[in-house]
DNA sequence: CTAATTGAGATAAAATTTGTCTTATATTTT
DNA sequence: AAAATATAAGACAAATTTTATCTCAATTAG
């Protein structure tokens, strides 16, 4: 009943990126250092984010990552589901055949309801919401 | 981002018990059979429930388990936390020292908020809610 | 005493999470 | 054009958690 380290790193990494000027190319090494996460792990996480289309990757010297979507359009739910997979509170919610209780037991509907509430909450936050102090970091020396 | 099989089994097991007449002694074997769960696993789960004080165990022939609390007082949150441990959506929510962002980043408060919402929802359902068809099963032959 | 049942805990398989290391690729510099 | 460099990509692996199983001890009813 928690998000993974990987999702947490992904969110923090994207927030770090969102604090940079729009279009800035970010290196995994920097992202990892500034989010206190293992660089090689963060590298893999950003590969997944790139595959999903959320960010764009550039290979080679001076390569790195840029946003492929606006931070305000990237919800926490999107990030968590890209990294951890679909949010499914209980097996029976997603797979009706695995829930013998559909139709004669309320457990199914409880999990469905709570899951809806949870995903709605996760959808109500965007990466941009946590980069609000962006202006404060936009001083030339902070932009680098 | 899900409950464990063990928590699901525990809830279904307790609901099964709640459909029996109050005070009935239930065998793990029956509980497991009627919830489609591995008996030995269910046995361990009920040991944990007994240790928590939610149910009472009787050893020996004709032993088994009875409720130690009213089904309407046993919330889903209680069961999940007994089996899976405390609900903590993200590491930084529980352990302030592991969250470098407390005070200067909203991620901490997002997880705190969503966690509150989730635990509140889980607390709003009780085992009794899912044993509502109890009366329908109270026919003498169903009571056994 | 015997059979039935739980308690406790050792053991283990499977899956998932968390991470590292090597390789491939593109870019810059020479 | 070649070499050096910085990076992504992906194979590999360690650690942890989940999901069990199995054995043996304890207890009690008949």
């Amino acid at each position: 009943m928690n998000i993974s380290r990987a999702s947490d790193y992904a969110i923090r990494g994207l927030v770090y990126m969102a604090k940079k000027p729009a279009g800035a190319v970010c290196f995994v090494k920097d992202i990892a250092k500034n989010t206190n996460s293992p660089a090689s792990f963060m590298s893999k996480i950003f590969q997944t984010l790139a595959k999903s289309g959320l960010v764009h990757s550039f290979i080679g010297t001076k390569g790195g990552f840029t946003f492929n979507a606006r931070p305000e359009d990237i919800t926490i739910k999107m990030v968590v589901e890209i990294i951890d997979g679909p949010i499914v509170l209980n097996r029976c919610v997603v797979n009706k055949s695995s829930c013998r209780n559909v139709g004669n037991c309320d457990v199914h509907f409880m999990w469905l309801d709570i899951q809806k509430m949870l995903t709605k909450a996760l959808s109500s936050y965007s990466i941009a919401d946590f980069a609000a102090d962006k202006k404060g970091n936009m001083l030339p020396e902070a932009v680098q």
Side-chain angles (χ1 to χ4, degrees), chain A:
Chain A
M1 197 64 116
N2 53 30
I3 62 161
S4 66
R5 290 283 78 216
S7 279
D8 183 55
Y9 292 157
I11 293 165
R12 292 184 195 279
L14 291 171
V15 169
Y16 171 76
M17 278 181 67
K19 287 178 181 175
K20 301 279 177 186
V25 177
C26 299
F27 312 134
V28 163
K29 212 161 101 181
D30 279 345
I31 299 171
K33 195 196 296 177
N34 284 280
T35 55
N36 257 23
S37 50
S40 47
F41 193 22
M42 190 60 108
S43 167
K44 240 184 83 174
I45 290 167
F46 265 76
Q47 280 175 40
T48 305
L49 293 177
K51 244 182 239 167
S52 80
L54 226 59
V55 298
H56 192 258
S57 71
F58 298 94
I59 212 166
T61 309
K62 302 281 177 187
F65 293 90
T66 60
F67 277 111
N68 211 13
R70 297 185 321 166
E72 48 268 47
D73 292 335
I74 302 176
T75 67
I76 299 301
K77 172 172 182 275
M78 289 170 64
V79 180
V80 170
E81 292 208 311
I82 286 167
I83 302 297
D84 287 350
I87 291 169
V88 177
L89 283 188
N90 195 14
R91 177 185 292 182
C92 77
V93 174
V94 69
N95 185 357
K96 277 183 183 175
S97 68
S98 77
C99 184
R100 301 177 314 128
N101 298 303
V102 174
N104 68 33
C105 165
D106 289 310
V107 174
H108 175 83
F109 296 103
M110 168 183 68
W111 291 121
L112 202 58
D113 280 352
I114 296 180
Q115 183 170 305
K116 277 180 189 167
M117 177 184 300
L118 180 62
T119 54
K120 190 179 168 187
L122 290 171
S123 296
S124 75
Y125 292 93
S126 80
I127 292 297
D129 293 336
F130 307 116
D133 52 316
K134 183 179 174 180
K135 280 149 209 132
N137 281 346
M138 289 275 281
L139 300 170
E141 71 272 20
V143 165
Q144 91 174 3

